[in-house]
Amino acid sequence: MGNSQIHSYVNHLSRTGVLCFREDYWVITEKNNDATILLGIFDFWDFVKREEVAQIRIESVMREEENQPPLVVSPYIYKTHQELINESYGLIPSRTRIIAAIRFLCKKNFLAQVPNRYRASRYKFGYALQVDKINESLGALQDEADNRNGNV
């Protein structure tokens, strides 16, 4: 066969990516592909972080009952620009485009940069997904769709 892709028998061109993202993210990011891809990445990691924080809270209660210090976890997402390039599967191939997409998301208030508390690397940056602002934008998008379709 010669195809290195397990999920397809099609012989795709080398170094081509699969562009897959949420259409509603694409609309609220003004059709900015890089910002849309990053929003999806941060959405995934925000979910993981929230689950981790919830688990740590449960474990900390148990530790308190055993007179042990509570566990501490940061609610922020820490990533290097290279990690974001990798997690975009190369669809955002450069640090410059990653930075531009992050700035765009921050300007739209969908993402906030937080101080770097990750001491192991000065190249890791902290981010907080602004879920309320995203939900507000998605709600407005839904309202527009409902008005267009007469579902008021």
Side-chain angles (χ1 to χ4, degrees):
M1 246 189 292
N3 189 346
S4 63
Q5 294 185 9
I6 296 171
H7 64 278
S8 177
Y9 288 100
V10 175
N11 292 317
H12 295 281
L13 299 175
S14 64
R15 299 174 97 48
T16 59
V18 176
L19 192 55
C20 181
F21 50 66
R22 293 191 164 280
E23 185 178 2
D24 53 1
Y25 282 177
W26 189 58
V27 173
I28 67 171
T29 60
E30 303 167 11
K31 301 181 179 179
N32 180 323
N33 291 348
D34 292 349
T36 302
I37 292 165
L38 274 189
L39 193 55
I41 291 168
F42 284 117
D43 184 5
F44 169 79
W45 285 112
D46 179 73
F47 179 81
V48 169
K49 265 303 188 179
R50 288 173 189 261
E51 292 293 310
E52 180 185 27
V53 167
Q55 183 62 39
I56 293 294
R57 284 188 185 130
I58 293 168
E59 291 178 25
S60 289
V61 169
M62 293 186 304
R63 290 174 64 91
E64 186 178 323
E65 292 170 357
E66 298 168 354
N67 293 323
Q68 294 182 17
L71 299 172
V72 178
V73 63
S74 170
Y76 303 117
I77 302 161
Y78 289 96
K79 294 286 178 186
T80 65
H81 294 141
Q82 186 60 52
E83 287 171 330
L84 292 171
I85 290 169
N86 294 345
E87 290 184 29
S88 78
Y89 298 102
L91 292 171
I92 310 173
S94 72
R95 188 175 169 272
T96 303
R97 284 178 52 186
I98 290 286
I99 292 168
I102 288 168
R103 285 184 180 150
F104 179 87
L105 292 172
C106 289
K107 182 180 172 195
K108 297 282 288 180
N109 295 318
F110 294 155
L111 189 68
Q113 286 191 276
V114 297
N116 183 0
R117 297 177 202 259
Y118 196 90
R119 307 211 190 296
S121 171
R122 64 184 177 141
Y123 299 108
K124 281 207 187 260
F125 301 94
Y127 305 98
L129 192 66
Q130 303 300 299
V131 175
D132 291 341
K133 179 64 177 169
I134 294 167
N135 284 336
E136 180 183 310
S137 293
L138 292 174
L141 187 63
Q142 185 62 54
D143 291 345
E144 288 175 23
D146 289 345
N147 288 337
R148 272 194 313 272
N149 296 329
N151 298 335
V152 182

